[in-house]
Amino acid sequence: MTNILFKYYKLFSLMVLNTLMAFFIVNGLMKLPGHLRRSEVQSASVRLPALTQVHRGQPSPELKLNEHQMKWVDSRSFEGVPPEQVSQILSDFASFAQVGYAFHPYTHFSEPAFQSQTVNIQMDDKGYSYRASKSHPLSAKGTYQVYVFGGSTTLGWHTADNQTIPHYLAEALKKSYRKRGQTRSVTVTNFGKGYYSWFQEMILFQRLLHSGYRPDAVVFLDGVNVLHADSPNETPHNTKDLIRLWDKAQISSTALPNTFPLFKTVNNWARDSYRRLFRDFEQGRHPHRRTYSLPDWVAKTQQSYHTTLDQIEALTSLYQIQPYFVWQPNRAYLCQSSKYRQELPEEYRDKVVPLYTEMKQFKRPHFVYMGDLCRKMGFKKRLFIDDVHYSPSFNRAIAQELAYFMMNPKRVVTTSDTL
């Protein structure tokens, strides 16, 4: 009898041991891809070879950049920037992209704090992030303070801290004051956020006012993110993902700890199963969005923009702040998009071109249309680094034209006046 019990005990022990070994082996294998990816990102930020321009301006594969950069970045657009600095910028942004976005009340998401040689995102004690500037926006009393809002083009994606539109705007404004014989300190704070719509920018501006921020002027650069914002509905870019996570949290009965990749997989499988079983649960809470014909979409998007500007001007009037609104250049419109490494998606061009054409007739105080700036500057220069973001030289040109408009708001701005 004792031998039989011992035999079963030994068999049970082997089963438990083998199960545990299999569990850890499977988890180790599932964790390996993530570990390799992290090692790749770390190596990219440490090993910074000089940028090699290969066929049609594609960055060197040795940089080990992310897929989006390898597909879209055109290294020929970094005119006048040393190759070593271009390598550093692209590597820093590859690491920055891996960090992802942080949750932010009312606007859903925002860039988190980040530090590198060329990309630095600072965050104040109230949780507001902005790209590096020489002085804190609240501590720069006695200066002419300008806050700039917009999407990733304003943030300055794929350009260094000192190559963004807000940075060049500060330089241009200071130069304009010196030409007038005025000595005035200027601080321009970059509140650009990736994927933000004009409605999110308005909410962010309103929250800053509520928190005690008091700039002298605000600038809003918009136009590129019109499809990311699901205009004219103006829902934030990541809304579908947030809805999915919210609903899963309510209908899932699986709550294994996510410490092990295997448990995380089981959780995801269970939640997807519940999502299929309770499809009505999701659909009943989130009705399908309306779709519009192209002419209706253009008209309703313009109305959304017009209404948002009305609300911003109501806020600026209340707090005696000067607003400026810019309809920004877009690679899909009069910018010879085909000369770059990759063509833009057809569905994007089909909507952007009619909208930008109509926006040329958009008139209101404090508004300047820069949608045709590519044509004014000439088509020989490569003004875009990737699918949407501007080169350092184009950022400077936009900032100079904007500064001229701010200093001469009643005059018609032409490129020959500013460049």
Side-chain angles (χ1 to χ4, degrees), residues 336-351:
Q336 286 196 328
S337 179
S338 60
K339 71 187 294 183
Y340 296 91
R341 290 184 47 238
Q342 294 286 340
E343 276 276 16
L344 293 172
E346 185 177 355
E347 58 272 17
Y348 182 77
R349 289 185 281 111
D350 288 346
K351 281 195 168 184

Side-chain angles (χ1 to χ4, degrees), residues 29-266:
L29 292 174
M30 295 179 70
K31 200 169 184 178
L32 183 60
H35 175 73
L36 293 175
R37 181 57 185 157
R38 285 192 297 272
S39 299
E40 179 180 310
V41 172
Q42 291 172 357
S43 65
S45 62
V46 175
R47 189 173 63 258
L48 300 169
L51 186 69
T52 303
Q53 294 187 2
V54 294
H55 181 59
R56 297 187 67 193
Q58 182 177 2
S60 169
E62 295 179 2
L63 283 173
K64 298 186 182 302
L65 306 179
N66 58 43
E67 292 181 6
H68 179 84
Q69 290 174 317
M70 292 304 299
K71 178 180 179 181
W72 288 105
V73 168
D74 195 327
S75 59
R76 296 172 296 182
S77 300
F78 289 94
E79 183 181 358
V81 181
E84 296 79 9
Q85 186 181 12
V86 176
S87 298
Q88 183 73 63
I89 292 169
L90 296 179
S91 296
D92 286 349
F93 269 101
S95 300
F96 183 43
Q98 288 293 317
V99 176
Y101 289 90
F103 172 78
H104 200 258
Y106 299 99
T107 58
H108 284 191
F109 59 93
S110 178
E111 279 78 9
F114 183 81
Q115 288 187 337
S116 67
Q117 291 191 39
T118 65
V119 184
N120 292 277
I121 307 296
Q122 300 176 8
M123 185 174 294
D124 71 355
D125 55 359
K126 297 180 181 179
Y128 295 105
S129 63
Y130 52 95
R131 194 155 184 188
S133 58
K134 293 183 179 180
S135 59
H136 190 285
L138 285 181
S139 64
K141 295 181 179 179
T143 68
Y144 182 65
Q145 297 185 65
V146 182
Y147 293 175
V148 185
F149 299 88
S152 56
T153 52
T154 301
L155 179 71
W157 200 266
H158 289 152
T159 58
D161 294 333
N162 62 348
Q163 297 170 346
T164 66
I165 294 173
H167 176 84
Y168 289 133
L169 178 60
E171 291 184 345
L173 289 174
K174 292 175 185 177
K175 184 177 180 180
S176 296
Y177 281 121
R178 286 196 299 269
K179 285 184 176 181
R180 296 186 176 188
Q182 301 176 7
T183 303
R184 191 171 190 182
S185 178
V186 177
T187 299
V188 179
T189 305
N190 186 345
F191 282 111
K193 310 291 181 187
Y195 296 106
Y196 265 33
S197 69
W198 48 67
F199 193 82
Q200 282 175 289
E201 295 159 19
M202 179 191 69
I203 297 299
L204 176 59
F205 174 48
Q206 186 175 11
R207 294 202 69 226
L208 288 166
L209 291 175
H210 188 74
S211 298
Y213 288 74
R214 295 294 184 271
D216 297 290
V218 288
V219 178
F220 294 83
L221 290 92
D222 292 297
V224 169
N225 286 346
V226 64
L227 297 188
H228 288 311
D230 191 31
S231 293
N233 301 296
E234 305 310 333
T235 53
H237 176 63
N238 293 317
T239 296
K240 291 182 180 179
D241 293 329
L242 291 173
I243 289 174
R244 177 175 53 85
L245 293 172
W246 182 272
D247 287 343
K248 281 184 176 182
Q250 296 183 76
I251 64 179
S252 174
S253 62
T254 304
L256 296 174
N258 281 333
T259 306
F260 297 102
L262 182 59
F263 286 174
K264 187 181 297 185
T265 302
V266 171

Side-chain angles (χ1 to χ4, degrees), residues 308-318 323 325 364-366:
T308 304
L309 266 56
D310 285 343
Q311 296 175 62
I312 292 173
E313 287 193 330
L315 288 169
T316 56
S317 175
L318 179 64
F325 307 104
R364 68 178 295 148
H366 319 304

Side-chain angles (χ1 to χ4, degrees), residues 328-363:
Q328 62 187 143
N330 193 311
R331 207 187 99 174
Y333 185 73
L334 298 180
C335 287
Q336 286 196 328
S337 179
S338 60
K339 71 187 294 183
Y340 296 91
R341 290 184 47 238
Q342 294 286 340
E343 276 276 16
L344 293 172
E346 185 177 355
E347 58 272 17
Y348 182 77
R349 289 185 281 111
D350 288 346
K351 281 195 168 184
V352 164
V353 172
L355 176 62
Y356 266 63
T357 302
E358 288 297 320
M359 284 301 298
K360 291 178 68 174
Q361 310 303 320
F362 189 86
K363 305 293 182 183

